[in-house]
Amino acid sequence: MPGSAGLDGVPRSSVYFGAHSSLPVPSFPRSTELPRGHLPSGTPGNARPPPLPRAPPTTASLPVAEIGVGITGFGAFFILLGALLYFDSVLLAFGNLLFLTGLSLIIGLRKTFSFFFQRHKLKGTSFFLGGVVVVLLRWPLLGMFLETYGFFSLFRGFFPVAFGFLGNAFNIPFLSELFRRFQGTSSMV
C-alpha cells in the first residue's frame, strides 16, 4: 500500500523509509500505526530479522557426557584396583562394565558401535569384548590378557598422539624446570 496515508496524514512510505526510498513498503494493520519517526519494536527499516535459536547438539548433551567421564573414571579405578588385588574377578568385571558404559555415555551409542565395529578394528574389538566376557565368566587373568591385546590393537592410532603430547610436556615452563631438577638428583640416600 505505497500510497496510503497514516493517521497523521503522512504517507506510510515516508514514515518508515523516507519519501524517496526504493525499499519495499511494509503494510501494517491500522492498529499498529505509530506517530512519525517511531518504528514498531523489532522491525527497523533495513535490518535483518533476528537469528533463529541454535539447535541443541546432536551428540550426547553436556551433563550426560560429564556423567560418562565420571563413570569411565570409576571403571578405570575398579580395573586398576582389581588388578592390584591379584586379579579379583568381581572388581575387574565391574570395572569393565563401568568403563564401557561410561564410554558409550561420553560419545553416544551410535558412535561407540561405529568405533568398535569398523572393519579394520574387528580383530581388536573381538579380543577386547571377548576378554570382557572371559572376565565375566571368572577367568580374570586370561580375560585381562585378551583385553589388553584388544585395547592396544583398538587404540593403536591414538598412541602416537599421546606420546607426542607427553614429549611436548618438556616444553611447558614449570614442568621442564621440574624435570631438570629430578634429572640432576641421582643420590641413593
Side-chain angles (χ1 to χ4, degrees):
M1 315 236 177
S4 63
L7 291 176
D8 56 357
V10 178
R12 282 191 185 150
S13 61
S14 64
V15 170
Y16 294 106
F17 299 103
H20 304 290
S21 175
S22 62
L23 296 173
V25 177
S27 61
F28 297 103
R30 290 193 64 82
S31 63
T32 62
E33 290 186 21
L34 299 172
R36 184 179 180 109
H38 291 87
L39 295 174
S41 63
T43 58
N46 57 359
R48 294 182 183 177
L52 295 174
R54 293 181 183 232
T58 57
T59 58
S61 63
L62 185 62
V64 173
E66 288 177 354
I67 292 170
V69 169
I71 290 175
T72 303
F74 278 121
F77 171 74
F78 280 112
I79 289 172
L80 179 67
L81 188 65
L84 288 176
L85 294 175
Y86 301 111
F87 292 97
D88 183 38
S89 61
V90 174
L91 289 173
L92 291 173
F94 191 59
N96 285 330
L97 294 177
L98 286 177
F99 180 78
L100 290 175
T101 303
L103 184 66
S104 64
L105 286 176
I106 291 171
I107 63 175
L109 285 174
R110 181 173 291 156
K111 287 185 180 180
T112 303
F113 283 118
S114 68
F115 172 77
F116 278 108
F117 295 107
Q118 294 175 7
R119 182 175 288 282
H120 66 280
K121 292 185 179 183
L122 283 178
K123 179 180 167 185
T125 300
S126 61
F127 274 99
F128 184 76
L129 295 179
V132 170
V133 169
V134 170
V135 167
L136 289 174
L137 294 175
R138 296 196 179 244
W139 289 56
L141 193 61
L142 178 63
M144 286 307 293
F145 283 134
L146 292 174
E147 277 185 50
T148 304
Y149 177 74
F151 181 82
F152 281 119
S153 70
L154 274 175
F155 294 102
R156 182 181 345 179
F158 176 70
F159 291 124
V161 174
F163 291 141
F165 174 75
L166 290 176
N168 288 335
F170 288 107
N171 295 333
I172 299 173
F174 174 73
L175 289 178
S176 64
E177 182 65 31
L178 187 67
F179 289 142
R180 272 190 232 121
R181 282 193 186 163
F182 285 137
Q183 191 177 18
T185 61
S186 62
S187 66
M188 298 292 285
V189 180

